[in-house]
Amino acid sequence: MRKLRSVLVGTVLAGALAAGIAAAPAQAATASAASTASVSQAQYTKHWFSGSSSFGRGESRGERSNYKGYWYYSGGRYYFDIEAWDHDRDRQNTYVDFSYHDNGGWHTRRFATGGHGEWKFNISARGGFDGFRTHIGEGNSRDFDWGNYYRHSF
């Protein structure tokens, strides 16, 4: 009887140990996945910016064009995402000028839309990138009803 009891206890302990060992990798994998997800979400912080165009004769404030965007830094690059809307539907384009400064001076990229546009791009930090400015205008002549600049330096 004593041997049977020892064998049963040994079997129960072995089974419990085996179950614990089998569960450990699953728990470790779950903890590792959760840790990786939180690290990937915490790799960067979005920094928001926005602006609107001025308005010309006969236009109300509600007919102004506007934009919003964000930037973040990751892996030696600055990433940008900008969206613009033209609200008055007057067949004039909306322009977003994005100017940035680096060791080579100021560089400007102009984006245009007739309604809604979104632009995603990135800039390397290696060239001495140290700031940017944006503004939006709307029109079809030399007078684009430019809004105020949004400026950011690093």
Side-chain angles (χ1 to χ4, degrees), residues 31-154:
S32 176
S35 169
T36 303
S38 66
V39 167
S40 67
Q41 290 174 353
Q43 281 182 334
Y44 60 86
T45 301
K46 290 181 181 179
H47 303 276
W48 295 91
F49 57 93
S50 62
S52 57
S53 66
S54 183
F55 51 98
R57 282 187 233 132
E59 291 181 323
S60 70
R61 287 186 181 269
E63 294 175 320
R64 300 190 319 178
S65 296
N66 68 311
Y67 73 95
K68 72 175 184 176
Y70 64 85
W71 65 269
Y72 65 90
Y73 178 80
S74 178
R77 302 192 74 79
Y78 290 90
Y79 293 85
F80 295 88
D81 186 347
I82 301 173
E83 271 188 282
W85 295 268
D86 184 350
H87 294 287
D88 59 6
R89 298 178 181 91
D90 60 359
R91 297 188 184 158
Q92 295 179 339
N93 280 336
T94 292
Y95 301 94
V96 177
D97 278 0
F98 177 88
S99 302
Y100 66 96
H101 189 266
D102 62 13
N103 291 340
W106 283 99
H107 312 279
T108 300
R109 299 170 92 176
R110 178 170 283 178
F111 306 103
T113 184
H116 173 258
E118 182 175 11
W119 306 278
K120 295 180 180 196
F121 55 95
N122 60 72
I123 299 171
S124 174
R126 290 186 183 175
F129 178 71
D130 62 359
F132 69 94
R133 63 185 181 198
T134 57
H135 72 153
I136 188 169
E138 188 252 343
N140 59 9
S141 65
R142 301 185 111 214
D143 179 20
F144 288 120
D145 294 333
W146 288 109
N148 293 328
Y149 275 103
Y150 169 87
R151 293 177 172 87
H152 185 82
S153 298
F154 300 102

Side-chain angles (χ1 to χ4, degrees), residues 4-21:
L4 181 60
R5 194 177 333 186
S6 295
V7 170
L8 286 175
V9 170
T11 304
V12 170
L13 286 174
L17 183 60
I21 290 172

